Amino acid sequence: MTRNPSNPTNLIDPINPVMSTPVLMPQMGESIAEGTVVRWIKKVGDHVDRDEPLFEISTDKVDAEIPSPAAGVLSEIRVREGETVAVNSVVATIGDSVNAAVDPPSPSASARQAPPSASARQAPPSASARPVQPDHQVQPVEPSQPDQPVQPGEDTRRARSSPLVRRIAKEHQIDIGTIAGSGIGGRVTKQDILGFLEHRPAGAAKAPAQYIPAFRPGEPVEVVPMGVMRKKIAEHMVLSRRTSAHVHSVFEVNFSRVAHLREQKKAAYERDGVKLTFLSFIAKAVAGALRAFPVLNSSLDGDNIVYKKDINIGVAVALDWGLIVPVLKKADEQNLVGLSRAIADVAARARAKQLKPEDVQGGTFTITNPGTFGAQFGMPIINQPQVAILGIGAIEKRAVVFDDAIGIRPMGYLTLGYDHRLVDGAIADQFLSQVKDTLEKFDAAWV
């Protein structure tokens, strides 16, 4: 395959001189080094238009449908569903819609290629020709041979892992250089270091608990492999439990004021195409409280506290295939209309798999809403590397006592999960108290 000088992004097959366009695994964010092909929307031989969805990928940050870079015929698929490859790897080829052969290359076509020279047969495979290892497979580091010197910058590329990986390494006193990275350029990924921890030699760590099968042979069960997103959620939640000292506080809130304002303004908002929800009011109250209590809007970096200047609130969106947390950037600078519009927008795009990498990056605090499904309250797990998360319970009418009288009011529980390594109970409760007070005395001028 050679490049067309007039268009370097296109390739020309020397055997069948047909214009073709490589389809690359995109880099869905600065810290993303690999992606998993979840599903091919098109199959070999299908005609595709430019920007038409071609395949679906999953990364550490987002699930997305990837559009075709050109119009033509999908002439080759190189990466199967479920495979994880480095960014910028060629995963498929788009051929000319008129001339492209839609059948896979036959053995005879391969035989027509010139045999490799003796020097080529003896040469060791290049780094780019080595197969990409799955995320969970950690390979031992082989010692450098005298005739295979380490290339300059190799250790540097490996050390350029994410802050999360470096923090895990520091907490467990691990030298990242001793781990074989499966990421691009030997980069050590989160899966690599977690796998290393689970498979450390005896004596270096506690022996893993004995595996107990979840079912007996012959038992009537259906076994279904976990999807990519579900596996990543599982890894992230276990990591969070290992990392943070979780504590939870629960406050009950009277939503009478919010319900009244919502009923007054709901029709006007809908005429402007905006849905006014309880979540919008809560996000507004949380943004103000985060400004007043900045430690809830911070992160831990070793022995340092990193206070985030921007208040970026993540909103957990439940999907049929998992959970994703798009982020409302600079939430404290938005009014109620802006927050309502932003919440509806990211939720709709999350369900349509149209989120961009920047939509799920940079969160400093998270809100999750299990009350949508009827839960009174929950004990949410912190979304690392944040230090707090707010859970919203069901808002429903209940009999409550006011001034020695019983009345019916819309009530709901708010649960704050926080990292006790950094956040004390007194600060957490003051934060929740301000959120409660803001909601129960919500300023009508904000609506």
Side-chain angles (χ1 to χ4, degrees):
M1 198 76 78
T2 60
R3 294 202 176 272
N4 175 8
S6 63
N7 188 350
T9 62
N10 289 337
L11 302 175
I12 300 176
D13 190 326
I15 298 173
N16 298 306
V18 175
M19 187 73 69
S20 61
T21 302
V23 180
L24 306 181
M25 173 62 71
Q27 183 164 16
M28 303 294 284
E30 183 179 355
S31 63
I32 301 300
E34 57 260 329
T36 301
V37 175
V38 177
R39 178 173 65 98
W40 282 100
I41 300 170
K42 298 290 186 178
K43 62 181 183 296
V44 171
D46 285 354
H47 180 274
V48 292
D49 293 324
R50 181 181 176 85
D51 295 329
E52 183 180 5
L54 183 60
F55 64 108
E56 182 182 328
I57 69 168
S58 182
T59 71
D60 288 345
K61 298 293 185 182
V62 67
D63 282 8
E65 292 181 350
I66 306 304
S68 174
V73 171
L74 180 58
S75 56
E76 181 187 19
I77 291 178
R78 297 190 183 183
V79 177
R80 295 172 298 179
E81 293 180 353
E83 281 192 80
T84 300
V85 297
V87 299
N88 295 324
S89 299
V90 177
V91 299
T93 304
I94 302 293
D96 186 280
S97 59
V98 177
N99 300 314
V102 297
D103 295 325
S106 65
S108 59
S110 300
R112 289 197 299 269
Q113 298 185 40
S117 64
S119 61
R121 287 196 298 269
Q122 295 171 1
S126 65
S128 60
R130 294 174 190 149
V132 177
Q133 300 293 339
D135 285 351
H136 63 275
Q137 186 174 352
V138 181
Q139 298 295 321
V141 178
E142 298 178 357
S144 300
Q145 301 298 326
D147 58 340
Q148 291 177 326
V150 177
Q151 296 298 322
E154 183 175 338
D155 290 339
T156 302
R157 289 195 301 271
R158 180 168 294 163
R160 281 179 53 207
S161 298
S162 68
L164 178 60
V165 169
R166 293 197 297 272
R167 185 168 72 249
I168 297 172
K170 182 177 180 180
E171 290 174 353
H172 293 273
Q173 298 181 338
I174 298 171
D175 179 3
I176 293 180
T178 63
I179 302 176
S182 64
I184 188 170
R187 180 178 179 273
V188 178
T189 67
K190 179 180 69 177
Q191 287 77 19
D192 292 334
I193 196 166
L194 291 179
F196 180 85
L197 285 172
E198 292 175 359
H199 298 94
R200 277 201 288 190
K206 290 184 179 179
Q210 184 177 1
Y211 172 71
I212 301 175
F215 59 93
R216 298 185 300 274
E219 185 177 349
V221 298
E222 179 185 5
V223 180
V224 179
M226 293 175 70
V228 175
M229 176 178 279
R230 177 51 54 193
K231 285 193 288 187
K232 293 185 184 299
I233 291 173
E235 292 166 0
H236 198 59
M237 294 299 97
V238 170
L239 174 65
S240 183
R241 277 295 190 185
R242 288 175 178 170
T243 302
S244 297
H246 280 68
V247 181
H248 294 84
S249 293
V250 183
F251 273 47
E252 189 175 29
V253 177
N254 180 353
F255 283 91
S256 295
R257 174 67 172 170
V258 170
H260 175 71
L261 293 173
R262 182 170 175 263
E263 193 63 32
Q264 273 190 335
K265 302 291 185 177
K266 185 168 61 174
Y269 272 58
E270 289 177 353
R271 283 195 296 270
D272 292 335
V274 180
K275 188 175 182 181
L276 187 58
T277 64
F278 284 102
L279 179 57
S280 306
F281 288 89
I282 294 170
K284 182 68 175 175
V286 166
L290 288 173
R291 184 62 70 195
F293 298 93
V295 71
L296 275 297
N297 199 59
S298 67
S299 293
L300 273 173
D301 184 14
D303 295 331
N304 297 320
I305 304 173
V306 181
Y307 290 94
K308 307 297 179 66
K309 298 297 184 182
D310 291 338
I311 293 176
N312 300 331
I313 299 178
V315 178
V317 177
L319 309 171
D320 292 340
W321 56 94
L323 182 77
I324 200 163
V325 186
V327 178
L328 311 176
K329 302 292 176 65
K330 298 186 177 182
D332 59 321
E333 297 179 7
Q334 299 189 48
N335 57 23
L336 199 62
V337 174
L339 285 173
S340 300
R341 198 184 303 277
I343 291 170
D345 172 62
V346 295
R349 289 194 289 119
R351 296 186 177 101
K353 297 184 178 180
Q354 294 177 347
L355 289 175
K356 299 176 182 178
E358 56 267 27
D359 292 326
V360 293
Q361 294 176 345
T364 59
F365 185 93
T366 296
I367 297 176
T368 182
N369 189 10
T372 300
F373 307 101
Q376 292 294 308
F377 59 85
M379 299 294 175
I381 298 176
I382 297 166
N383 186 12
Q384 297 295 326
Q386 299 166 22
V387 297
I389 182 171
L390 183 75
I392 305 171
I395 299 171
E396 54 190 10
K397 291 183 178 180
R398 291 199 288 268
V400 291
V401 176
F402 289 99
D403 299 326
D404 296 330
I406 297 177
I408 306 298
R409 299 289 187 275
M411 307 293 292
Y413 293 104
L414 299 182
T415 302
L416 183 71
Y418 53 96
D419 189 340
H420 210 356
R421 296 178 303 166
L422 179 59
V423 183
D424 293 329
I427 297 297
D429 289 348
Q430 290 174 49
F431 170 85
L432 268 182
S433 180
Q434 175 163 325
V435 172
K436 170 185 170 75
D437 189 66
T438 301
L439 291 170
E440 292 183 343
K441 302 173 183 177
F442 205 90
D443 191 340
W446 293 349
V447 184

